[in-house]
Structure formats: structure tokens, C-alpha cells
Amino acid sequence: MLAWLPQAAMALFFALLFRPLLQNTRMFTRRYARSHRVVGLLLLLLLVVGFVHLFFVPSPRTHGLLFDVVLSLSGLAVALTAARDFGPAHDKVLNEASGTLDQEATVTRSEMLEHSFYQGLNLVQIVYIHAVPLGAPHTRLVLAGVATAPWCVRGLFPINHFSDNYKHPGKGGATRLIRFLYRMKKYQYLLYKHCLLHGLNLSLALEGTALAERPSFRLYWLCLNSAYVLEFFLQTLVKKRYMSQNTMIGMQQILMLVSSYAALCVLNHVRITLSVLSLLLNLRRRGRDASNTGFLMLVALLSEVLSHRSSLVHVITRTTFGMLL
């Protein structure tokens, strides 16, 4: 009954976004950092096409994998070109904490490079999710391992913490609302990492669910890609005085709400036990996502074997008693 709410929310979001863009189109045509501007515009258009297709085109997608790969590559290109074109000028930026919700904050090169890791992770995961229905169980487990492999190089990228904005009074998070939003972003990240990344990848490997084209997943995936890119872009619009700080905060709340709703829908395809174990392992063994996920894979396999064996014993027992009676 309330299925129209995400459509209405995202329509409002993009209306608020494109109003200043249409009034300041020159920001995409300037010579300085032109490659970043062009790729950024392409990514914005891809997101609009994705949402329009999801909400208003009921026919099944025929080129879903191609679209998702181009979308992910565009996001990766935006992050890398930002680090290349703007990074040197931002090397001396010293923010009190990581994040772009505060009006005085400036995106650092460190954040741009960290962002590129997660954009690359997006690319790997979406290819894996499209491949899941095509593989046998053992093949899916191998693919899940490949999808986890990027975490082996996580240490090569910078690490920035949202929690600095609300853990230390007077540091980051200029208002109570902004500190609350940063805390919510931290919780969203934990949900993403342990449920919608590690948990989802392993669950799909075990179940073989064809998830990539389902509307609930499409909404989640588009929101995730939007959040990754527009978090930085909205702050740029505020810095350029193309958008007010209050409008930016309101748009962030819209995107966070729709993203959370979409994520909860995708959780129906996640084995929560695996996600909880992933979180517990992360608390115990930080920075070891690859080995933690490998351990989870062994636990999942053992659970599957024991479950099948128990089912087989149950069937044999019932059959035997049936014959005796």
C-alpha cells in the first residue's frame, strides 16, 4: 500500500538535486578537472536512468549486468579522478573528523582514495551477484571467495572513521542532528558490511538465489551507489553556494531513509546467523575480513552438511518405521 513512498522520496531528492545543477551547468564544462566533471555527469545520468527504469518501466531488464558494470565503473572513475584532479589541492586539508555533513568540512584526498576501494568492491559484488544463478553450489562458493578477495588489500587504502564525529565532544558534528546522522551512518555501514556484503554473499552462495533483477535489490543497489557518490557531491554544492546546508542535510536524510528501507527488504535473502557471526568476528579480529569470511564459509558449509545429514537420517528413520508398521 505504501510502495509509492520510495518513488515519491527519490523524486523529491532528484528534484532538489537537479534544480541547482540546471542553474549552474557550467560546473560540468570547466576545463579544470574536466575528466572528473564529465564522468560525474555520466554517473548522475546513469542513476536517474536506473531509478526511472525501476519505478516506471515494468518490463524485465535485458541488459542488467552491463548497466550495473558501467554504473560501478563510473563510480570508481569518479573517485579516482577526484583523487587525481583535486587530491593535491586537498592534501593540506585538516578536518576535525571524517565526513561531509558539516558545512565547514572539506573532502580530503584520503577520503577520496578510501572511497575508491568501496567503489571497486561494488563492482566485484555486483558481478558476483549476477553470476550466482549460473553456477553450481561449489562454483558459487569459489565465486564468494573471489568476491571477498579485495579485502586482502584493504590495508593499502586509507581508513577514516565516522565515529570521530560523535565520540569526542566538540570534535566534528557541529550540531546534535549532524552527530545523530553520523551515528546512523556508522550503523548503516555495519549493516552494509556484515549483512549486505559478507552475509549476503555467503547466503547467495548457499542458496543460489537470482537476486540481481529483483525490484527490492534494484532499489537497494541504486541507493547504495547514489549514497557513495552524492554524499561528496552534495557537500561540493554547499561549498559552491549552489545549495543551502539545510537542503543538503534534508536530502541526506531522505537518501538514508530510502536506503535503510531498501536494505531491510534485501535482508530477507540474508542468513542473519552468518551476519551476526561476521560482526562478532570483526569485533574480535579487526582488519581481517578475508580470513573472517573464509572461516564463516567453513562454518556455513559444515552447517549445510550437518543439516543434510540430519534430514537424510530423518527420512531413513521415517521410512524404516513406515515399513515396520
Side-chain angles (χ1 to χ4, degrees):
M1 183 174 64
L2 299 178
W4 57 271
L5 282 177
Q7 291 94 317
M10 293 312 299
L12 175 60
F13 179 89
F14 279 104
L16 292 171
L17 174 63
F18 275 92
R19 181 181 178 184
L21 298 188
L22 293 175
Q23 295 172 345
N24 300 277
T25 55
R26 189 168 175 267
M27 68 183 301
F28 294 107
T29 60
R30 291 174 180 168
R31 180 172 298 179
Y32 176 62
R34 178 167 291 174
S35 60
H36 175 72
R37 300 175 192 275
V38 171
V39 175
L41 178 59
L42 171 63
L43 182 55
L44 283 176
L45 295 177
L46 285 172
L47 288 171
V48 171
V49 169
F51 278 110
V52 169
H53 195 288
L54 172 64
F55 293 147
F56 301 109
V57 182
S59 60
R61 294 160 56 85
T62 55
H63 302 291
L65 175 59
L66 177 61
F67 176 86
D68 288 337
V69 168
V70 173
L71 179 65
S72 298
L73 286 174
S74 299
L76 179 59
V78 165
L80 292 176
T81 54
R84 183 196 65 193
D85 296 341
F86 299 111
H90 289 214
D91 276 337
K92 297 181 180 180
V93 172
L94 295 175
N95 293 325
E96 289 186 336
S98 174
T100 57
L101 296 182
D102 283 296
Q103 188 168 358
E104 302 304 320
T106 300
V107 181
T108 65
R109 186 176 189 177
S110 171
E111 290 172 316
M112 298 173 193
L113 291 174
E114 182 182 29
H115 187 66
S116 67
F117 170 79
Y118 287 100
Q119 290 287 11
L121 201 61
N122 267 3
L123 174 61
V124 173
Q125 186 184 26
I126 196 59
V127 172
Y128 163 72
I129 290 175
H130 276 280
V132 161
L134 306 177
H138 63 279
T139 304
R140 296 198 299 266
L141 286 170
V142 172
L143 292 176
V146 173
T148 306
W151 287 96
C152 294
V153 297
R154 179 65 182 93
L156 301 179
F157 294 82
I159 297 176
N160 298 279
H161 302 284
F162 277 144
S163 58
D164 290 340
N165 288 282
Y166 56 83
K167 279 189 173 180
H168 308 290
K171 180 179 180 181
T175 68
R176 182 176 297 179
L177 174 59
I178 289 177
R179 289 192 293 273
F180 171 77
L181 292 177
Y182 275 124
R183 189 181 292 272
M184 291 301 102
K185 282 181 174 290
K186 176 64 175 181
Y187 295 153
Q188 281 188 322
Y189 174 73
L190 292 175
L191 177 69
Y192 157 74
K193 183 178 180 181
H194 299 293
C195 294
L196 300 167
L197 185 65
H198 298 322
L200 180 62
N201 286 352
L202 288 176
S203 299
L204 293 181
L206 296 172
E207 302 289 347
T209 306
L211 187 63
E213 305 297 347
R214 297 194 181 188
S216 58
F217 178 78
R218 299 307 310 166
L219 178 60
Y220 160 72
W221 190 249
L222 290 169
C223 285
L224 179 66
N225 281 273
S226 299
Y228 273 179
V229 175
L230 296 179
E231 179 181 5
F232 292 157
F233 186 54
L234 292 179
Q235 199 252 6
T236 299
L237 295 179
V238 172
K239 285 283 188 180
K240 294 290 186 181
R241 300 185 185 278
Y242 297 157
M243 177 182 289
S244 71
Q245 171 75 0
N246 288 338
T247 299
M248 186 269 284
I249 293 297
M251 293 176 67
Q252 288 277 5
Q253 292 178 75
I254 292 173
L255 189 55
M256 288 175 70
L257 286 172
V258 178
S259 298
S260 298
Y261 164 79
L264 291 176
C265 293
V266 176
L267 285 181
N268 291 325
H269 305 283
V270 177
R271 295 191 180 187
I272 300 302
T273 303
L274 293 176
S275 300
V276 172
L277 287 175
S278 175
L279 175 61
L280 294 176
L281 282 172
N282 182 73
L283 294 175
R284 182 69 177 176
R285 305 174 73 247
R286 290 185 179 276
R288 300 179 181 179
D289 289 87
S291 59
N292 287 348
T293 306
F295 176 75
L296 285 177
M297 194 177 298
L298 291 176
V299 170
L301 279 173
L302 180 60
S303 175
E304 287 292 294
V305 170
L306 293 177
S307 176
H308 286 306
R309 182 173 296 178
S310 176
S311 298
L312 181 60
V313 170
H314 181 67
V315 170
I316 293 174
T317 302
R318 289 187 60 183
T319 303
T320 303
F321 273 102
M323 293 175 63
L324 292 175
L325 295 175

